[in-house]
């Protein structure tokens, strides 16, 4: 049984709502208008009209609603007007309606509603019809004299001739000065070429004050919002993506699928809706649709003709009604179902035997005529059809060929899917090994490699564990090299998931490969061990020994790719030993060039990753962002966008954040998260986004990000400073934002206690600054001794870390009650030499505070510092920082000059004001993103903040507030 669900939140529809609101305001102001609201079935026209009607009622309007009825080719005469009149009678009574009509004219309304008496059907001549039309118009106009009137006619695609005529009369005769709006809804997918509403819509659209509005399907972000509204805490990005893919953005379909998400079958009510139009088509057309449904989302005309076995004349004759009814749409040289669920419903409606025979036919045609599809697509499609036809042997063989072809194209996820299909079918095909020429263990090993490359680490670990257990339990003799590679891959994937057991797997891989004779496999497993463990606590010596042996072995066997990898490892190691940045950068450039020469993508991506990381660490953030973006593009090119590409996306977003280009950083993060990156990378991306949210005052958003990041980063033997310390700092920032300084200090404890982690200075010092702020807010300098001791034990690398150190020293002194202008001016100078606007603004604010506390202070200097900090905070949308600047300016009696941070009483940042202006114009998130060069997700976050600050629940209400207050006039 399928439960019907409805989103408790009205999602999207900003553009359409704005159009309705504009028309209503025009009518309310004395310029009557009409809106023709069209969209496919289930797209949300009724919900949109209902939400609009509620807003109109809240504004004092009278809303009359009537719908047309589906009763064959012609509906019930005047049905929507009868329903609207009945609703009016319920509100003001029969006598109330009569009082609005000319003396003695009420009986004419008996033709619409018996409450007004029986009208003589024999006297319903053309003249009587005209009187009725005039009477309805008079009634509406007199109602509108007291308050605005909205007349809603729903489902006009089912309207009878009389209803269409009365609707036309009303729209054409709207009198200036009447506060009247006529809203008519209709289904666009019902308007076949001979439908009587088509010419009427074209005719009415030419009338002045008539506007036609098309309701589009929801976008991916809007469907995700709908899923979140329905499922609440059970919401996941994967479920949202699945619902979007199946529903194509149709809200009704999305809600129906959510209500039956535990059932693979379509809900019966949805199936009936989808098949209703199909069953009204000629039988020969339905038969062609059944054939087309077996071909997937899109099918070429030539393939459809071959499978259908019909001559060209018969095929075209059967296709025309399908295209005319909008069931199929022409797509280049082929066809696609108007909605993917229509195809699914038609296909599922086939009898089991019909489905099997259809897929056999498709497979036979594709094997006999290979030219009908490109080779790679044909192999994947063949695998699908033989599988759907329940021919396990042919499906297995086709899937294996497809796995090879897709891997050549670097389509690792698709190749893994095909290899998994082979394994799924293996036990059903007795001669499986003979059919594809390799044993099952080899298939599993290939699947493990593909899972690693595709970023499906859980799957890869499960497969590797299975084959290792199989060979151990059944005493199967397996080459130690192969076992070592399996352990290495399992260890790499476990490391990506932050699992402690990864270390043992990497060690076992190195143990299994004999040192004599030297081999490429030994060089590579040792290199992997060195790379994966050098940043872990207590493993530096082991990593160094592994790297030295790996380099020696690589040189002995001539493994240039491993040599490049290891040269990068030693470049990194020597940088932190000698501090020679330029030497390191030169080595990474040489390594990248060598990797490109031999077309070795792994060391190339490693070189770009390391280079971008160190450039950011040393304050050259613009260069870092460019290098990382290049690496991310290369990763996409090599089919590694989901794994290495998303790691490089983090390396792109981090320097963008440092540069104050926060919206660009969020756009990069959103794109990376949309690729469903591995857990550890997702955690890193989320804590970076959470930091922006915290600095902008969105503490709820920051807390959600911190919660997810905390779940995904390792806390045990596989922990790293670069993962753990930023999350601790984010937790502390959130606690400070909620005025809980004691909790902030608690959050920073791992930074104090976990000493000796490689790269700790880069990530520990920013956390110590926050801890010092917590001491100041708490009014307790007690913990400062431990903080100072921790800071003193950290070696500082480069100007960024030195700026953090100076900031910590000044903030620690402030926590002790010492406002040291010189210390803060030193911090300002350090940050000013770097392009890091947020910490600069923070230091400027603290410096102004310190100077203001001095006798005979320089008021102009204080004002200059605060004005500069205010400008930076405004540009970043850093609301809490701007509020601190404003508070300090008031205390110091300093005039900041220029515009205030936000309009009085609204609390909007400049960026939020820009977004609100576009919302008030009826722009969607995607439109806003394009206009402001941000991501649609970022635009959505801004809109959520605006709704909270304005105290409204919908975008439409926010737009109405902006119009009411004339914020942008």
């Amino acid at each position: 049984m399928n439960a019907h669900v409805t989103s408790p939140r009205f999602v999207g529809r900003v553009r359409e709502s704005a159009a309705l609101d504009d028309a209503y305001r025009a009518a309310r102001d004395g310029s009557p208008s009409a809106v023709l609201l069209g969209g496919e079935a289930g797209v949300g026209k009724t919900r949109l009209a209902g939400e609009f009607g509620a807003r109109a009622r809240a504004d004092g309007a009278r809303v009359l609603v009537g719908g047309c009825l589906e009763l064959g080719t012609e509906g019930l005469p005047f049905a929507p007007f009868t329903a609207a009149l009945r609703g009016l009678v319920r509100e003001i009574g029969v006598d109330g309606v009569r009082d609005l009509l000319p003396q003695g004219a009420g009986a004419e309304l008996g033709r619409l509603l018996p409450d007004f008496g029986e009208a003589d059907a024999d006297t319903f001549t053309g003249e009587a019809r005209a009187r009725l039309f005039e009477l309805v118009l008079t009634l509406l106009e007199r109602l509108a004299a007291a308050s605005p009137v909205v007349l809603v006619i729903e489902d006009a695609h089912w309207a009878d001739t009389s209803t269409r005529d009365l609707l036309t009369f009303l729209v054409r005769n709207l009198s200036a000065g009447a506060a009247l709006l006529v809203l008519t809804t209709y289904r666009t997918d019902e308007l076949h070429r001979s439908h009587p509403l088509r010419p009427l819509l074209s005719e009415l659209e030419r009338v002045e004050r008539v506007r036609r509005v098309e309701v589009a399907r929801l976008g991916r972000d809007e469907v995700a919002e709908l899923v979140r509204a329905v499922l609440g805490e059970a919401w996941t990005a994967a479920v949202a993506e699945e619902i979007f893919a199946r529903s194509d953005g149709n809200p009704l379909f999305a809600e129906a699928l959510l209500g039956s998400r535990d059932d693979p079958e379509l809900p019966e009510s949805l199936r009936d809706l989808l098949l209703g139009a199909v069953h009204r088509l000629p039988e020969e057309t339905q038969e062609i649709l059944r054939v087309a449904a077996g071909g997937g989302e899109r099918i070429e005309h030539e393939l459809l003709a071959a499978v259908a076995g019909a001559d060209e004349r018969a095929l075209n004759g059967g296709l025309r009604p399908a295209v005319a009814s909008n069931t199929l749409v022409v797509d280049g040289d082929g066809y696609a179902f108007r909605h993917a669920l229509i195809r699914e419903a038609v296909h599922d409606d086939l009898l089991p035997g019909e489905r099997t025979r259809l897929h056999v036919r498709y497979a036979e045609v594709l094997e006999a005529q290979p030219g009908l599809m490109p080779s790679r697509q044909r192999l994947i499609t063949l695998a699908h059809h033989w599988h759907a036809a329940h021919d396990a042997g042919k499906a297995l063989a086709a899937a294996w060929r497809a796995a090879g072809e897709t891997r050549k194209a670097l389509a690792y996820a698709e190749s893994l899917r095909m290899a998994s299909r082979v394994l799924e079918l293996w036990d059903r095909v007795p001669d499986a090994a003979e059919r594809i020429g390799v044993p099952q263990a080899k298939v599993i090993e290939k699947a493990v490699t593909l899972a690693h490359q595709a970023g499906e680490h859980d799957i890869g670990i499960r497969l590797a564990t299975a084959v290792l257990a199989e060979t151990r339990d059944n005493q199967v003799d397996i080459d130690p090299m192969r076992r070592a590679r399996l352990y290495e891959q399992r260890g790499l994937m476990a490391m990506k998931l932050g699992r402690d057991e990864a270390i043992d797997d990497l060690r076992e891989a190195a143990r299994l490969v004999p040192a004599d004779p030297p081999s490429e496999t030994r060089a590579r497993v040792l290199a992997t061990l060195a790379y994966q463990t050098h940043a872990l606590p207590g493993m530096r010596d082991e990593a160094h020994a592994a790297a030295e042996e790996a380099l020696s072995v690589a040189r002995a066997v001539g493994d240039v790719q491993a040599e490049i990898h290891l040269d990068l490892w030693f470049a990194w190691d020597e940088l932190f030993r000698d501090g020679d940045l330029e030497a390191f950068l030169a080595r990474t450039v040489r390594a990248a060039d060598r990797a490109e020469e031999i077309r070795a993508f792994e060391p190339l991506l490693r070189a770009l990753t390391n280079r971008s990381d160190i450039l950011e660490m040393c304050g050259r953030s613009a260069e870092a962002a460019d290098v990382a973006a290049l690496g991310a593009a290369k990763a996409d090119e090599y089919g590694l966008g989901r794994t290495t590409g998303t790691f490089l996306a983090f390396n792109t977003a981090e320097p963008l954040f440092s540069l104050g280009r926060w919206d660009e950083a969020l756009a990069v993060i959103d794109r990376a998260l949309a690729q469903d990156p591995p857990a550890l990378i997702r955690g890193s991306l989320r804590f970076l986004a959470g930091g922006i949210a915290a600095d902008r005052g969105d503490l709820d958003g920051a807390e959600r990000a911190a919660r997810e990041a905390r779940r995904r980063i390792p806390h045990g033997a596989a922990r790293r400073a670069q993962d753990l310390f930023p999350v601790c700092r984010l937790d502390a920032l959130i606690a400070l934002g909620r005025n809980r300084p004691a909790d902030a200090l608690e959050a920073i404890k791992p930074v104090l206690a976990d000493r000796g982690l490689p790269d700790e200075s880069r990530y520990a010092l920013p956390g110590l600054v926050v801890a010092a702020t917590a001491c100041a807010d708490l009014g307790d300098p007690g913990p400062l001794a431990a903080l100072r001791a921790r800071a003193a034990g950290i070696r500082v690398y480069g100007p960024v870390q030195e700026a953090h150190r100076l900031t910590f020293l000044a903030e620690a002194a402030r926590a002790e009650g010492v406002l040291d202008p010189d210390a803060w001016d030193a911090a300002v100078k350090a940050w000013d030499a770097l392009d890091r606007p947020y910490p600069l603004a923070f230091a400027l604010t603290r410096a102004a505070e310190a100077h203001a506390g001095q006798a005979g202070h320089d008021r102009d200097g204080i004002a200059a510092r605060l004005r500069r900090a205010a400008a930076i905070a405004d540009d970043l949308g850093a609301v809490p920082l701007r509020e601190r600047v404003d508070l300090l300016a008031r205390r110091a009696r300093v005039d900041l000059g220029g515009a205030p941070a936000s309009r009085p009483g609204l609390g909007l940042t400049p960026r939020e004001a820009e977004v609100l202006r576009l919302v008030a114009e009826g722009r969607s998130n995607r439109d806003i993103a394009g206009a402001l060069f941000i991501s649609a997700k970022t635009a959505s976050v801004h809109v959520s903040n605006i709704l909270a600050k304005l105290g409204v629940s919908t975008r439409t209400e926010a737009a109405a507030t902006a119009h009411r207050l004339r914020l942008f006039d």
Side-chain angles (χ1 to χ4, degrees):
M1 180 176 176
N2 304 123
H4 176 74
V5 299
T6 301
S7 170
R9 187 183 310 144
F10 182 50
V11 173
R13 306 303 181 217
V14 175
R15 176 185 61 83
E16 297 91 339
S17 294
L20 294 177
D21 290 345
D22 286 345
Y24 170 72
R25 281 192 296 271
R28 185 187 58 192
D29 294 341
S31 180
S33 56
V35 176
L36 307 173
L37 189 70
E40 68 180 4
V43 82
K45 301 179 296 298
T46 298
R47 179 80 182 262
L48 174 61
E51 295 284 339
F52 163 68
R55 292 195 302 276
R57 286 190 185 93
D59 190 61
R62 187 182 300 280
V63 181
L64 306 175
V65 181
C68 302
L69 303 178
E70 184 182 17
L71 297 174
T73 57
E74 283 288 318
L76 189 67
F78 299 121
F81 295 99
T82 297
L85 183 57
R86 185 177 292 113
L88 181 60
V89 167
R90 281 197 298 269
E91 290 181 16
I92 65 174
V94 171
D95 290 339
V97 174
R98 288 185 186 275
D99 290 344
L100 293 167
L101 301 174
Q103 187 69 30
E108 287 291 337
L109 289 182
R111 302 187 187 281
L112 299 180
L113 195 65
D115 302 50
F116 292 91
E118 288 292 332
D120 187 353
D122 294 335
T123 65
F124 195 54
T125 61
E127 183 179 346
R129 174 184 166 99
R131 285 199 305 271
L132 175 62
F133 285 14
E134 286 285 356
L135 196 60
V136 173
L137 179 60
T138 299
L139 173 61
L140 293 173
E141 288 178 341
R142 291 187 178 181
L143 271 174
S147 63
V149 173
V150 177
L151 174 63
V152 182
I153 305 297
E154 292 194 296
D155 297 324
H157 50 281
W158 289 327
D160 63 290
T161 302
S162 297
T163 296
R164 292 195 299 270
D165 290 346
L166 179 50
L167 176 63
T168 304
F169 175 84
L170 293 176
V171 171
R172 285 189 168 279
N173 289 278
L174 294 172
S175 302
L180 176 62
L181 170 64
V182 179
L183 171 61
T184 303
T185 73
Y186 61 94
R187 288 185 187 173
T188 52
D189 47 327
E190 293 278 351
L191 302 187
H192 51 77
R193 292 178 180 176
S194 60
H195 196 289
L197 190 62
R198 286 177 71 108
L200 175 60
L201 292 173
S202 299
E203 176 187 343
L204 293 179
E205 200 173 6
R206 293 193 292 270
V207 176
E208 189 180 2
R209 298 192 297 272
V210 173
R211 180 174 181 181
R212 192 165 176 175
V213 176
E214 293 287 333
V215 183
R217 295 175 183 175
L218 297 176
R220 177 177 272 102
D221 290 344
E222 292 166 326
V223 170
E225 187 180 347
L226 184 149
V227 172
R228 189 182 287 109
V230 171
L231 297 184
E233 288 297 318
W235 174 88
T236 66
V239 170
E241 185 61 30
E242 178 190 352
I243 295 298
F244 176 72
R246 291 187 72 193
S247 69
D248 272 351
N250 184 294
L252 177 68
F253 297 174
E255 290 171 342
L257 292 170
L258 284 169
S260 63
R261 64 187 185 282
D262 296 328
D263 186 347
E265 298 293 323
L266 285 174
E268 188 174 343
S269 59
L270 180 56
R271 186 191 308 279
D272 291 343
L273 173 64
L274 294 166
L275 292 177
V278 173
H279 290 161
R280 291 194 292 270
L281 294 170
E283 178 54 38
E284 57 271 21
T285 299
Q286 292 187 48
E287 183 57 36
I288 290 173
L289 289 175
R290 294 182 192 109
V291 175
E297 293 181 5
R298 184 186 179 281
I299 185 169
E300 292 289 334
H301 180 88
E302 194 175 354
L303 176 59
L304 179 60
V307 175
D311 61 54
E312 193 70 13
R313 183 184 182 87
L315 180 63
N316 288 336
L319 283 168
R320 286 191 181 281
V323 173
S325 66
N326 210 24
T327 303
L328 285 183
V329 294
V330 176
D331 183 11
D333 292 329
Y335 309 93
F337 282 84
R338 175 176 52 80
H339 197 287
L341 287 182
I342 299 177
R343 187 204 69 79
E344 186 177 331
V346 172
H347 184 265
D348 290 350
D349 203 40
L350 293 169
L351 296 173
E354 290 178 313
R355 277 199 296 270
T356 299
R357 288 191 296 273
L358 177 61
H359 286 290
V360 167
R361 177 63 180 154
Y362 266 105
E364 289 174 345
V365 166
L366 287 171
E367 288 190 336
Q369 302 179 53
L372 288 174
M373 270 187 190
S375 176
R376 191 172 300 119
Q377 181 187 354
R378 187 179 72 88
L379 287 174
I380 295 172
T381 306
L382 269 173
H384 162 70
H385 286 303
W386 284 126
H387 188 258
H390 309 296
D391 190 322
K394 291 181 178 178
L396 180 141
W400 182 247
R401 294 197 303 272
E405 284 297 311
T406 48
R407 189 180 186 284
K408 289 178 189 175
L410 307 180
Y412 299 123
E414 190 62 46
S415 186
L416 173 62
R417 191 167 69 86
M418 291 293 100
S420 298
R421 174 71 57 80
V422 173
L423 294 172
E424 172 194 327
L425 295 170
W426 194 271
D427 291 339
R428 293 165 52 189
V429 182
D431 58 344
E434 289 74 18
R435 281 178 180 262
I436 64 173
V438 295
Q440 186 182 31
K442 283 276 192 179
V443 178
I444 297 176
E445 288 175 43
K446 181 171 183 176
V448 170
T449 301
L450 291 170
H452 181 207
Q453 292 168 324
E456 295 288 354
H457 297 136
D458 284 316
I459 295 174
I461 289 171
R462 188 167 65 250
L463 289 169
T465 300
V467 72
L468 287 169
E470 176 73 17
T471 56
R472 182 185 64 245
D473 295 344
N474 296 331
Q475 302 298 306
V476 176
D477 187 24
I478 182 171
D479 178 9
M481 300 291 198
R482 285 170 56 194
R483 286 184 68 84
R485 283 192 291 270
L486 282 167
Y487 273 109
E488 179 198 21
Q489 287 187 313
R490 190 172 75 172
L492 278 168
M493 289 184 284
M495 190 66 76
K496 295 292 185 185
L497 296 175
R499 297 179 182 174
D500 290 350
E501 59 266 28
I503 301 168
D504 290 337
D505 275 355
L506 297 177
R507 286 170 171 162
E508 179 66 6
R511 187 193 67 78
L512 283 168
V513 183
D516 189 28
S519 64
E520 287 188 2
T521 300
R522 182 157 182 81
R524 295 198 178 192
V525 296
L526 286 169
T528 298
L529 178 63
Y531 258 111
Q532 295 301 317
T533 59
H534 79 282
L536 300 182
M539 297 197 64
R540 178 177 174 78
D541 291 344
E542 182 179 350
H544 203 278
E548 286 185 328
E549 183 184 348
L551 182 59
S552 173
V553 174
R555 286 171 175 166
V557 299
D559 188 344
V560 178
Q561 183 168 333
E563 273 192 72
I564 299 172
H565 261 302
L566 290 157
D567 186 52
L568 287 168
W569 191 95
F570 282 104
W572 185 281
D573 186 64
E574 289 164 19
L575 169 67
F576 284 94
R577 185 189 66 203
D578 304 329
D580 190 341
L581 173 64
E582 295 306 322
F584 170 84
L585 295 176
R587 286 177 76 171
T588 60
V589 170
R590 288 195 300 271
D593 290 343
R594 288 181 69 195
E596 290 234 71
E597 284 174 14
I598 65 171
R599 301 183 63 79
F601 64 81
E602 288 184 356
L604 171 61
L605 294 177
R606 171 64 66 181
L608 294 171
T609 299
N610 290 2
R611 182 178 177 83
S612 64
D613 191 54
I614 294 302
L615 284 169
E616 166 63 8
M617 184 189 81
C618 294
R620 292 163 62 172
S621 297
E623 294 175 69
D626 290 343
V627 171
L630 171 63
K634 291 281 188 184
D636 284 339
E637 183 182 327
Y638 296 131
L640 299 171
R642 186 181 173 211
T643 51
T644 309
T646 53
F647 187 91
L648 280 156
F650 175 86
N651 276 20
T652 306
E654 187 180 29
L656 290 174
F657 169 73
S658 297
L659 292 165
R661 293 156 60 179
W662 291 359
D663 289 331
E664 292 178 63
L666 289 171
V668 172
I669 291 169
D670 289 344
R671 287 195 294 272
L673 289 173
Q675 296 187 64
D676 191 21
L680 192 53
I681 300 173
R682 175 175 285 274
S684 300
L685 291 163
R686 291 295 287 144
F687 74 62
L688 189 56
I692 296 175
D695 287 340
R696 282 181 163 166
D698 178 14
L699 297 180
D700 289 341
E703 197 152 15
R704 287 193 297 271
R707 193 183 308 124
E708 182 175 358
R710 210 179 301 117
R711 286 201 315 266
R712 296 178 184 278
I713 63 168
H715 296 81
R719 70 192 185 283
R720 299 182 300 175
Q722 69 188 72
D723 304 317
L724 178 61
F725 290 179
V727 177
C728 295
R729 179 179 178 273
L730 177 56
D731 285 335
L733 283 174
I734 295 166
L736 284 180
R738 299 196 187 281
N739 297 315
R740 298 200 303 261
D743 291 345
L745 284 171
E746 185 68 26
I748 292 294
K749 278 187 174 179
V751 179
L752 294 176
D754 213 343
R755 301 183 180 219
L757 293 181
D759 214 11
E760 67 173 1
S761 60
R762 181 172 174 181
Y763 300 102
L765 283 168
L768 295 179
V769 172
V770 178
T773 301
C775 289
D777 290 358
L778 196 61
D780 178 9
L784 284 174
L787 297 180
R788 288 184 186 279
R790 181 72 169 102
I794 292 174
R795 179 181 173 183
V796 170
Y797 297 92
V800 176
Q801 293 177 27
E802 174 62 13
H804 278 300
R805 188 186 70 83
L806 292 171
T807 304
F808 167 73
L809 292 175
E811 188 74 347
R814 177 177 172 272
E816 291 173 324
V818 178
L819 297 177
D820 187 342
D822 292 338
W824 280 113
D825 284 345
V828 168
K829 184 177 179 180
W831 288 119
D832 220 357
L834 301 162
D835 196 0
R836 304 282 174 111
Y838 184 83
L840 172 60
F842 177 86
L844 283 165
T845 306
R846 291 288 198 249
E849 178 187 29
H851 279 280
Q854 304 301 305
H857 55 254
D858 177 9
R859 185 180 296 275
D860 290 341
I862 294 169
R865 291 178 179 88
L866 290 178
R867 286 177 189 138
R868 192 174 176 201
I872 293 171
D874 285 350
D875 187 55
L876 296 175
V879 178
L881 178 58
R882 178 58 203 259
E883 289 173 349
R884 288 197 295 272
V885 172
D886 289 342
L887 178 62
L888 183 55
R890 288 194 296 273
R891 288 176 177 173
R893 298 182 180 179
V894 167
D895 180 8
L896 293 179
S902 59
R903 295 290 293 262
L906 296 183
L908 301 180
T909 67
R911 174 64 88 184
E912 288 167 351
E914 285 186 275
V915 172
L916 178 57
R917 176 176 56 79
L918 295 171
V919 168
E921 292 175 4
R923 306 281 282 277
S924 68
N925 281 354
R926 190 164 283 105
D927 294 335
I928 293 170
L932 300 182
F933 302 101
I934 59 179
S935 72
K937 181 65 178 298
T938 300
S940 174
V941 170
H942 283 314
V943 170
S944 296
N945 291 340
I946 290 167
L947 298 184
K949 290 180 179 182
L950 297 185
V952 297
S953 57
T954 68
R955 300 164 67 107
T956 306
E957 291 177 47
T961 299
H963 286 300
R964 187 179 69 254
L965 297 178
R966 301 186 179 278
L967 295 181
F968 306 109
D969 289 353

